[in-house]
Amino acid sequence: MTFTRKVLEICGDYALLESESGTRTEVALALLPDGIFEGAALICEDFVYRLAPDQSPR
């Protein structure tokens, strides 16, 4: 299973992620890749998150 999420906010030890349909979920930063930032697109494949290609902090 593969899906994408957008990082809306990083707050403490959690990041607020949003799906393409608008569903929001909190995910522990320990489960996310290093270097994420607000606005980043993430790809989750087999429960492993990675930054989408060509992502860089703005």
Side-chain angles (χ1 to χ4, degrees):
M1 174 184 249
T2 302
F3 53 86
T4 60
R5 297 288 186 262
K6 180 178 179 182
V7 179
L8 293 181
E9 182 179 1
I10 297 172
C11 185
D13 292 333
Y14 292 88
L16 181 61
L17 306 182
E18 184 176 53
S19 70
E20 293 175 351
S21 66
T23 302
R24 294 180 176 192
T25 55
E26 283 188 338
V27 176
L29 288 179
L31 299 174
L32 301 176
D34 290 336
I36 67 163
F37 54 93
E38 292 179 359
L42 300 174
I43 297 172
C44 182
E45 189 168 24
D46 297 326
F47 301 104
V48 176
Y49 287 92
R50 61 184 165 87
L51 282 169
D54 300 324
Q55 292 294 298
S56 60
R58 294 180 190 113

